[in-house]
Amino acid sequence: MSAARITEEAEFQVSPLSAHIGAEISGVDLTRPLEQKEVRAIRAALLKWRVLFFREQFMSHEQHVAFSAQFGELTVGHPVFGHVEGHPQIYSISKFRRATRFEGQPLLRPWTGWHTDVTAAVNPPFASILRGVTIPPYGGDTQWTNLVIAYEKLSEPLRKFVDGLRGVHRFAPPQGAKGTDAFASAVEQHTLVSEHPIVRVHPETGERALYVSPGFLKQIVGLAPRESQVLLELLWEHVTRPEFTVRFKWEAGSVAFWDNRTTAHLAPTDIFDLDFDRQLYRTTLVGDVPVGPDGRTSVSLEGSPMGAAAAIALN
Ligand code: SIN
């Protein structure tokens, strides 16, 4: 598909990368303050394409924070794993941040690793902004999936059924696992658990998204354990169908900006079979409490809501 102007007012280009999700934006410099019309146009493109990609944006941590702040309040880097020293809003995504997670052989399934950021919190971040600094010459791609099209492509009887369900999202060590390192003990000490609707109504567009973050959603409320497991596996397999996804090849200076209310994503694991380093940095924007089609909001079962980094620094 050829590039097209995204709005009448903003002068940059949007090039869609797949049928349902992902567009590359060119002709805008994110290292300087944006004009209001540019902010509006980027927000509109984000709602339409779910994840936006920008190239050759060589930003410092300060510029990354300043760019992010034009779209909302920033959270602390990560509620469990902290932040880059001296930069409370920046979370370091380094290659080996989780290399030795838990003892034992992991159970790998096709949806393993897919997640939406921090859905164990009652108010998961509404958006994430990830910038590439050290990028391998090959390998290390990230994938995103569109949870709205996933909802729409369910059969009508199943859509009606899941509309009324709620699920428990948990940030905790796998059952029976024993932590072996700082990563594991951080998770053990900062358990976060929330109940969210299985179908989330987007607060800006009213769209329904299948809110089934595979990495965090552990159980469907009210179903027998086996019923819950089988239905979750069906939904996880469904949301990660390749035709709902886009795959992004990073370069140094690339930025990905995604809407966590309508997407899940998959960090690469092929980098562990390569000797190359990989370093990215992420900011996240404070989100609202999800609402289901029946108007019921999410509830926190354990842990605190994700506050703004500014508020945390003051307290
Ligand atoms: C993330 O899950 O936010 C990181 C994705 C990546 O490392 O590509």
Side-chain angles (χ1 to χ4, degrees):
M1 193 180 289
S2 61
R5 270 177 48 165
I6 52 177
T7 69
E8 288 306 306
E9 45 178 8
E11 290 298 323
F12 45 81
Q13 307 289 313
V14 58
S15 304
L17 298 181
S18 78
H20 298 298
I21 181 168
E24 191 166 318
I25 305 287
S26 53
V28 60
D29 176 4
L30 308 187
T31 66
R32 55 159 182 83
L34 298 173
E35 292 176 37
Q36 274 314 306
K37 66 182 182 184
E38 292 174 314
V39 171
R40 280 196 300 273
I42 290 174
R43 279 199 88 104
L46 183 69
L47 293 179
K48 181 171 167 63
W49 291 105
R50 324 288 180 189
V51 52
L52 304 178
F53 305 109
F54 303 83
R55 300 282 187 189
E56 300 192 356
Q57 306 289 336
F58 297 96
M59 292 193 268
S60 62
H61 289 332
E62 288 79 6
Q63 286 168 321
H64 188 169
V65 168
F67 168 68
S68 308
Q70 296 170 100
F71 296 89
E73 233 181 333
L74 282 88
T75 69
V76 71
H78 194 283
V80 176
F81 306 123
H83 54 80
V84 173
E85 207 180 327
H87 299 276
Q89 300 100 337
I90 302 273
Y91 175 45
S92 167
I93 307 240
S94 62
K95 178 170 173 178
F96 290 111
R97 77 193 196 283
R98 301 176 182 185
T100 54
R101 300 177 67 156
F102 296 102
E103 282 172 356
Q105 183 86 348
L107 172 61
L108 294 177
R109 293 161 307 176
W111 50 85
T112 296
W114 281 92
H115 66 283
T116 301
D117 287 331
V118 207
T119 59
V122 70
N123 60 335
F126 103 75
S128 302
I129 300 169
L130 185 61
R131 94 179 197 268
V133 173
T134 306
I135 302 299
Y138 51 89
D141 302 353
T142 309
Q143 295 171 69
W144 285 262
T145 191
N146 177 344
L147 302 177
V148 172
I149 192 75
Y151 174 79
E152 288 169 0
K153 294 280 187 182
L154 285 176
S155 63
E156 196 188 345
L158 195 51
R159 275 204 306 272
K160 284 194 173 136
F161 181 56
V162 296
D163 270 352
L165 295 177
R166 293 169 71 87
V168 176
H169 295 235
R170 178 178 285 275
F171 203 5
Q175 235 178 1
K178 181 156 168 27
T180 56
D181 60 5
F183 172 87
S185 59
V187 176
E188 277 160 6
Q189 285 161 29
H190 295 87
T191 296
L192 270 177
V193 189
S194 296
E195 183 186 300
H196 294 299
I198 292 289
V199 175
R200 178 177 186 174
V201 179
H202 196 288
E204 292 182 66
T205 64
E207 295 167 302
R208 294 182 183 193
L210 204 43
Y211 200 55
V212 294
S213 182
F216 294 113
L217 176 54
K218 303 299 178 195
Q219 186 194 335
I220 299 182
V221 176
L223 297 194
R226 181 71 184 139
E227 292 170 344
S228 168
Q229 190 60 26
V230 171
L231 181 57
L232 284 178
E233 290 188 3
L234 183 147
L235 296 176
W236 290 330
E237 180 187 300
H238 177 75
V239 297
T240 54
R241 273 169 49 180
E243 66 270 36
F244 304 154
T245 70
V246 66
R247 181 174 183 132
F248 184 61
K249 193 158 277 305
W250 291 91
E251 294 166 354
S254 299
V255 170
F257 182 178
W258 65 92
D259 185 344
N260 278 308
R261 300 164 297 188
T262 56
T263 62
H265 57 278
L266 178 66
T269 49
D270 62 347
I271 49 174
F272 300 109
D273 298 331
L274 298 167
D275 288 333
F276 308 118
D277 201 2
R278 184 177 187 268
Q279 175 70 60
L280 301 91
Y281 293 98
R282 193 179 81 189
T283 56
T284 40
L285 302 178
V286 175
D288 53 349
V289 175
V291 180
D294 55 4
R296 282 178 71 198
T297 54
S298 302
V299 290
S300 170
L301 302 178
E302 204 173 327
S304 312
M306 280 186 80
I312 290 164
L314 289 175
N315 291 329

